[in-house]
Amino acid sequence: MTLIFAHRGSAGTHPENTMSAFKEAARVGADGIETDVQLSKDGEVVIIHDEKLDRTTNASGYVKDRTLTELKTLNASPNFKGKLGKENIPTLEELFIWLNDNQLYCNIELKNTLFLYPGLEEKVIQLIRAYEMDERIILSSFNHYSLVKCHQLAPELETAPLYRDGLYMPWIYAKAIGGSAIHPNIRAAPDFVIQASLSMGVPVRPYTINGEAEMKRLFKLGCSAIITDFPETAVRVREGLESCTRKKMP
């Protein structure tokens, strides 16, 4: 079965990378969530996508220039005024505490391409081990040097390179850097790449799959997982296909 990962939580319907978005993903039946981590000025692992605060909060400037206490005063849902109330920027530890109460998988993207955030890998791995999340976590990043470091520090964890452009035989490349899956932009993942990767035992989880027609195509192709802003839609589409399959069975 193709798994459904909620991109930054249910980012199409709730403030991205907030606890309300993650809880919505669980409510609608997603199999996992995808989220992003950076370091605050005082070295805390916080959940936010952009290096700048401007788009997703009521503040400006860089995440790295604010302490956790300062970040916690911000509103992480300025685009959902009056709908869900004020949302805080979560820490990775807060997310793990919540994950203890469910069985969701969690894809953590290390946002360390613009800023390297020395120590980010060690801190994330320390939290994964402290909360015994190793079997439910996938580490991904556009910084493939960072993924190699993660594999060296914690070879038991699954790592998956993110990439936007065409990559020749990405299933071989992933294994070469210690990865066990690939997370391509859907435009860089034509059917033959997905099928070849799967045949070599390398899971494929493309992003960001929001159209129903594309969801159906990937479900029928047997893709390992999709990463989507609309997990409720994806669950409905998958259930519809499964229902049709059951009806066709003798």
Side-chain angles (χ1 to χ4, degrees):
M1 181 180 69
T2 301
L3 300 182
I4 294 167
F5 279 70
H7 187 229
R8 308 177 197 169
S10 185
T13 60
H14 288 64
E16 66 177 62
N17 277 328
T18 63
M19 291 310 302
S20 70
F22 301 138
K23 290 175 181 177
E24 176 66 5
R27 186 190 73 80
V28 302
D31 304 294
I33 57 172
E34 185 272 351
T35 190
D36 312 273
V37 295
Q38 300 182 54
L39 290 182
S40 64
K41 184 178 181 180
D42 49 346
E44 296 294 328
V45 184
V46 293
I47 292 176
I48 187 169
H49 179 271
D50 297 4
E51 290 85 359
K52 281 191 170 183
L53 297 161
D54 305 51
R55 183 179 65 85
T56 60
T57 78
N58 60 335
S60 60
Y62 289 108
V63 174
K64 71 178 183 65
D65 294 330
R66 304 281 188 113
T67 65
L68 178 60
T69 300
E70 292 170 334
L71 290 172
K72 281 294 186 182
T73 67
L74 306 182
N75 182 8
S77 61
N79 300 319
F80 289 78
K81 293 178 180 177
K83 296 180 181 178
L84 298 167
K86 182 175 183 280
E87 288 280 350
N88 292 322
I89 295 173
T91 63
L92 184 59
E93 185 166 21
E94 288 170 335
L95 177 62
F96 281 178
I97 290 170
W98 175 73
L99 285 172
N100 271 329
D101 294 327
N102 58 61
Q103 295 300 313
L104 290 177
Y105 293 103
C106 182
N107 173 197
I108 300 172
E109 179 182 345
L110 306 177
K111 297 293 294 187
N112 53 0
T113 50
L114 182 60
F115 302 115
L116 294 180
Y117 290 122
L120 177 62
E121 297 92 347
E122 289 88 347
K123 290 182 178 184
V124 169
I125 290 168
Q126 183 180 25
L127 285 169
I128 292 170
R129 288 172 169 166
Y131 284 89
E132 299 181 344
M133 289 282 171
D134 51 296
E135 293 185 357
R136 297 165 59 188
I137 299 295
I138 303 158
L139 297 177
S140 64
S141 182
F142 286 102
N143 183 340
H144 299 174
Y145 289 96
S146 180
L147 291 183
V148 170
K149 183 176 181 180
C150 287
H151 181 66
Q152 292 170 340
L153 291 170
E156 73 277 10
L157 296 178
E158 181 175 357
T159 58
L162 279 160
Y163 64 96
R164 296 186 183 91
D165 301 314
L167 190 64
Y168 183 68
M169 301 179 78
W171 53 93
I172 292 178
Y173 175 73
K175 290 182 178 180
I177 63 169
S180 53
I182 55 173
H183 290 190
N185 183 295
I186 187 57
R187 293 187 295 274
D191 288 3
F192 78 90
V193 167
I194 294 174
Q195 292 168 328
S197 295
L198 295 177
S199 70
M200 296 301 293
V202 176
V204 186
R205 306 182 187 102
Y207 72 94
T208 306
I209 314 304
N210 290 338
E212 291 191 26
E214 199 159 49
M215 291 176 183
K216 287 180 181 178
R217 180 176 66 83
L218 293 168
F219 288 147
K220 290 178 180 178
L221 199 61
C223 197
S224 311
I226 64 168
I227 301 172
T228 178
D229 291 328
F230 298 96
E232 185 170 18
T233 299
V235 169
R236 174 175 54 78
V237 170
R238 186 176 66 182
E239 288 177 347
L241 290 175
E242 290 172 348
S243 177
C244 289
T245 300
R246 285 193 295 269
K247 288 178 181 178
K248 291 178 181 178
M249 292 177 66

